[in-house]
Amino acid sequence: MLKFLKLFLVRKKNLKIRFLLLTFLFSGLIIKGQVNSYSFSQSQGSFTPLLGGTVLDTASDTMGAASLDNLVYPVSLPFDFYFNGMPYHSLYVSTNGFITFGSAPVSNNFSPISNDESYDGAVSAWGRDLNAAFINNIKGNITWDVVGSAPNREIVIQWTDFKPLYSTSTTNIYSFSFQIRLKETSNVISVVYKGGSYLIGNTSLTQRCQIGLRGSSNMDFNNRSNSTNSQFMNSSAGLGNNYIQVFHTINSVPGMPSDGFTYTWVPPSCFAPNLITINNITGSAAQVSWAALNPAPANGYDVYYSTSSTPPTIITTPNITGVMTNSVTLSSLLPITAYYVWVRSLCNAISTGGWSAVKSFVTKCQQPLSIISTTSATVCPGQATVLSAVADAGANINWYDAQWGGNLVGTGNSYTTPVLSNTTTYYATAFTGINSQTTGISTPSASAINGTGTTNFGIVFDVLNTTTIEKVTVYPVTSVAGNTGTLTIDIVDGTNTIIRSKTFTVIGGTEAAPYENILDLDFTLPPGTNYKITPKNYIGINGLLFDPPASTTSNYSYPFTVQNAISITTSTLSAAPGNTPKNNIYYYFYNWIVSTMCESDRQAVTATVDSNCLSTSEVDKKDRMEVYPNPFSDIININKVELLKSIKVTDISGKLVRVVSRPEARLRLGDLSQGMYILQLEMKDGSKQSIKIIKK
């Protein structure tokens, strides 16, 4: 028996996506050259049921998961099936009447074509909330098999005795069957229906479903549509990704599909490139890569890039043409600038595929900045010391505790280490701009509640100068505290185009006991207005905490602004470009950390701990320097002053406040402000000691 993974999320009525019969949404956003370029036909054939194969699951009750409600199964394929020009050796089967490629859908996905989940593509035969019939000897199931002989095999996924819409009724049950068939070699996709009938009762059922294909984005679709006044089998091409087919189990208009009714989609001979990535970004260059296509375009690829987000057309002149590999380096770019990239296939000498979906990136700052010099230090165990560095004119200095990542531990020309027991290396960088600052609401209030909006819900903000959103904090909610899941964070621009996206593994808490998840976004954004940060694709979590209105008139303190960097203007649950303001809500994203830094590479500066000096001082106590009183008011007394060459006094940030080139036994420091300071004692024998002192 095939071992399979069963993905199940608790279905809540308020999570169900209701299909809306809209006639305008996304009508102008069709992307050419992807599944939209598949040719479509329909025919009246015959339904050939599977006689064997693998049973993924069988209904054992009339409701819930036992009736095959909201379940997803992975299937490994015996041959690569090419969808959108990309090979797949596995897919996911949803009980809600569709399959996906690349990744599993959430279990309560009822709109596989319009849904903006991040799977690579979907084939929907009857996409909506479904469950299987279970009555008398009828037990609905899902099976799959491979029929035929290579190289002309077919993968067949079959939903047998399914209800056309979710129902728990035991007195009125209509069932029908349908298949998705994937052909080897030709990569043709077919959906075949078996006529339905009432198993019990005769009350009519009417609703709507999504049928067709979706690519890697819900803006790439090839679907079918009919109204309540036209027959199901007289559908037309959908003009938007949320267009639907209407059905009725009794009335002939719109009716149901007849036995053997078949939809067929044939792939084009040349696809637009897919899975575009941008790597090795510098201040003047970036590497663009994409996935290999099958069939490969005979004349290679064209690449077009621009600082404008306006997409190219068929007559647009590419910047680079005839690329015979799957990557190219863009050069002579401007620093700290947003670029938009498209790639298309050169199918042959006279035709091209459509341009790919846009991919954007921001170049880094040019880095003439550098650390000119550094001064390391040697210290005895159990003591602090001071490291120093000099940067280019006009630059500041950051100090980190690791070469990559790590923590920012100080700023300024010098850094006072903590008390050290082992040799430790720190790293200095030269930078200009604004160092990391926080903005937005820091933590959820006591009245924060779980929110599940993932369509257009989010926070709207403006970028005043090129800014990096380094981190945000979210509070996922799970049914059991400590459960893990995944969450995707998108940044969209004012046209609702995704320009940044990243997926995170998160840990859930409850509304009563939230769990903080700090997400490292590192999204660098160019100046612009009406950006939005929004959550997508909850998998394994129920939602995210947000601050709701305490009353209909309450408002939060928008805008939250970091001067010359970013301004958080409002929350919204509507789509761009409108982004209807909701100032009485604060959605999901807390404690933003942002910066506008241009920063050099990190340079090592080492604090060496000399273990020998401790044993020497223990044996020969006459060489130990002592200062007193500590804390002090005005005067510090120093013993063995004859051994001293000089004294430096720095504040706790490392700033030099006093140099004594001819030390005396009484050091007058009454003019210093209250606080902690470091005495750096340089001995005549070349050794150094650092002693913390406190001014009362």
Side-chain angles (χ1 to χ4, degrees):
M1 180 177 181
L2 175 68
K3 293 182 180 179
F4 59 83
L5 170 67
K6 183 182 297 186
L7 302 177
F8 176 76
L9 292 178
V10 176
R11 178 172 57 87
K12 293 183 178 180
K13 290 183 179 179
N14 66 330
L15 289 180
K16 291 195 174 186
I17 301 172
R18 305 299 180 189
F19 300 126
L20 300 177
L21 185 56
L22 302 177
T23 60
F24 61 94
L25 188 60
F26 295 109
S27 60
L29 298 178
I30 295 174
I31 298 175
K32 304 297 183 183
Q34 299 292 315
V35 299
N36 181 261
S37 295
Y38 277 62
S39 61
F40 169 81
S41 64
Q42 67 181 52
S43 60
Q44 184 61 53
S46 60
F47 183 90
T48 304
L50 293 176
L51 300 178
T54 300
V55 178
L56 295 178
D57 215 343
T58 300
S60 58
D61 203 342
T62 59
M63 61 190 302
S67 69
L68 308 191
D69 178 44
N70 292 347
L71 302 174
V72 178
Y73 313 93
V75 171
S76 296
L77 306 179
F79 57 84
D80 279 347
F81 180 78
Y82 283 81
F83 181 80
N84 245 356
M86 298 296 298
Y88 294 94
H89 55 269
S90 64
L91 54 79
Y92 296 87
V93 179
S94 169
T95 56
N96 291 324
F98 65 93
I99 64 173
T100 63
F101 298 99
S103 60
V106 296
S107 60
N108 60 346
N109 181 343
F110 311 131
S111 52
I113 298 175
S114 61
N115 194 291
D116 59 2
E117 285 190 63
S118 58
Y119 40 76
D120 293 348
V123 179
S124 180
W126 201 267
R128 61 159 297 108
D129 189 12
L130 298 178
N131 64 338
F134 180 78
I135 184 172
N136 300 327
N137 294 322
I138 303 297
K139 299 177 181 179
N141 62 37
I142 297 180
T143 58
W144 81 278
D145 202 359
V146 180
V147 299
S149 301
N152 298 308
R153 292 171 288 180
E154 277 189 280
I155 298 162
V156 183
I157 303 101
Q158 180 172 298
W159 289 253
T160 303
D161 287 315
F162 262 67
K163 304 170 188 177
L165 55 85
Y166 180 86
S167 171
T168 61
S169 174
T170 59
T171 59
N172 191 72
I173 300 175
Y174 180 99
S175 79
F176 77 130
S177 303
F178 53 89
Q179 298 172 340
I180 293 176
R181 305 178 75 100
L182 310 176
K183 290 181 170 60
E184 185 181 18
T185 306
S186 68
N187 300 302
V188 169
I189 300 168
S190 295
V191 172
V192 186
Y193 300 94
K194 182 180 186 296
S197 63
Y198 281 92
L199 304 180
I200 188 172
N202 58 12
T203 303
S204 64
L205 303 171
T206 181
Q207 254 296 346
R208 59 201 68 181
C209 59
Q210 290 192 349
I211 299 175
L213 313 181
R214 197 208 86 168
S216 59
S217 162
N218 65 1
M219 294 172 65
D220 177 19
F221 54 89
N222 191 326
N223 56 354
R224 307 306 297 170
S225 175
N226 70 292
S227 69
T228 56
N229 298 319
S230 61
Q231 282 192 323
F232 182 96
M233 294 188 295
N234 289 334
S235 67
S236 57
L239 299 179
N241 60 22
N242 59 343
Y243 273 56
I244 47 82
Q245 287 217 239
V246 182
F247 61 87
H248 198 290
T249 55
I250 292 180
N251 295 346
S252 60
V253 178
M256 291 285 289
S258 62
D259 193 82
F261 184 67
T262 302
Y263 283 151
T264 301
W265 288 269
V266 178
S269 60
C270 186
F271 286 93
N274 205 348
L275 302 181
I276 297 173
T277 58
I278 312 293
N279 297 298
N280 301 325
I281 301 172
T282 69
S284 60
Q287 185 182 44
V288 182
S289 302
W290 53 90
L293 295 176
N294 185 2
N299 289 36
Y301 302 90
D302 283 342
V303 178
Y304 175 74
Y305 60 95
S306 173
T307 56
S308 169
S309 60
T310 302
T313 67
I314 192 171
I315 62 173
T316 300
T317 302
N319 304 86
I320 305 172
T321 189
V323 179
M324 299 307 296
T325 60
N326 295 332
S327 68
V328 67
T329 297
L330 312 184
S331 58
S332 300
L333 306 180
L334 298 174
I336 320 180
T337 302
Y339 282 90
Y340 302 85
V341 181
W342 297 263
V343 185
R344 71 179 178 188
S345 303
L346 294 171
C347 307
N348 52 53
I350 60 173
S351 66
T352 63
W355 289 105
S356 66
V358 65
K359 190 74 174 182
S360 64
F361 67 96
V362 176
T363 51
K364 295 182 179 180
C365 55
Q366 292 283 24
Q367 293 185 350
L369 301 175
S370 63
I371 297 292
I372 297 173
S373 64
T374 62
T375 302
S376 298
T378 300
V379 66
C380 293
Q383 294 184 343
T385 190
V386 177
L387 309 175
S388 61
V390 178
D392 286 325
N396 298 311
I397 296 176
N398 277 335
W399 294 86
Y400 296 92
D401 59 7
Q403 186 173 10
W404 309 104
N407 301 300
L408 177 67
V409 295
T411 60
N413 289 342
S414 60
Y415 168 62
T416 301
T417 71
V419 171
L420 300 174
S421 58
N422 298 294
T423 296
T424 305
T425 299
Y426 296 89
Y427 298 85
T429 67
F431 78 93
T432 58
I434 299 173
N435 225 330
S436 300
Q437 295 190 29
T438 60
T439 189
I441 294 179
S442 59
T443 57
S445 68
S447 60
I449 60 174
N450 179 35
T452 58
T454 60
T455 303
N456 294 303
F457 294 55
I459 287 184
V460 181
F461 60 97
D462 297 336
V463 176
L464 310 178
N465 285 293
T466 299
T467 298
T468 299
I469 305 176
E470 297 178 353
K471 304 174 188 292
V472 294
T473 301
V474 298
Y475 296 83
V477 175
T478 53
S479 54
V480 177
N483 282 359
T484 60
T486 60
L487 167 70
T488 298
I489 305 298
D490 288 346
I491 301 286
V492 300
D493 64 14
T495 66
N496 219 33
T497 299
I498 297 174
I499 59 173
R500 300 287 182 276
S501 184
K502 200 178 233 184
T503 300
F504 300 89
T505 298
V506 293
I507 301 174
T510 63
E511 289 186 15
Y515 191 91
E516 175 187 84
N517 288 250
I518 300 173
L519 308 183
D520 292 315
L521 294 184
D522 288 327
F523 289 154
T524 300
L525 301 172
T529 60
N530 219 28
Y531 287 106
K532 180 164 61 181
I533 182 170
T534 181
K536 301 292 181 185
N537 307 331
Y538 300 158
I539 298 178
I541 66 172
N542 298 333
L544 300 173
L545 286 189
F546 75 100
D547 275 67
S551 69
T552 56
T553 59
S554 66
N555 287 286
Y556 293 97
S557 301
Y558 296 103
F560 301 92
T561 301
V562 175
Q563 187 175 9
N564 297 321
I566 201 168
S567 179
I568 299 172
T569 58
T570 189
S571 283
T572 188
L573 48 75
S574 65
N579 281 333
T580 304
K582 297 287 289 185
N583 289 336
N584 62 341
I585 290 176
Y586 187 90
Y587 274 130
Y588 309 138
F589 302 102
Y590 296 88
N591 198 42
W592 296 38
I593 300 178
V594 302
S595 73
T596 62
M597 282 195 304
C598 181
E599 192 170 30
S600 71
D601 293 331
R602 300 183 184 185
Q603 187 164 330
V605 190
T606 301
T608 301
V609 174
D610 182 1
S611 58
N612 292 325
C613 71
L614 179 60
S615 59
T616 300
S617 64
E618 287 177 337
V619 174
D620 192 357
K621 293 183 181 291
K622 69 181 188 300
D623 290 336
R624 177 183 295 170
M625 303 300 298
E626 295 181 359
V627 299
Y628 60 92
N630 192 10
F632 70 97
S633 296
D634 297 304
I635 296 174
I636 283 283
N637 297 298
I638 305 174
N639 76 330
K640 311 296 183 184
V641 69
E642 68 275 7
L643 303 178
L644 282 175
K645 179 181 179 181
S646 66
I647 300 173
K648 293 180 181 178
V649 183
T650 65
D651 63 19
I652 197 63
S653 70
K655 181 180 178 182
L656 184 65
V657 297
R658 184 74 51 84
V659 176
V660 181
S661 57
R662 295 182 179 180
E664 297 180 354
R666 291 166 61 85
L667 179 61
R668 300 181 181 276
L669 300 173
D671 58 328
L672 298 184
S673 301
Q674 291 181 349
M676 182 178 292
Y677 296 87
I678 303 294
L679 286 185
Q680 298 180 48
L681 308 178
E682 184 178 2
M683 317 301 289
K684 290 179 180 178
D685 64 5
S687 63
K688 296 179 180 180
Q689 294 184 36
S690 296
I691 301 174
K692 287 185 179 180
I693 57 174
I694 297 175
K695 173 69 161 56
K696 293 190 292 185

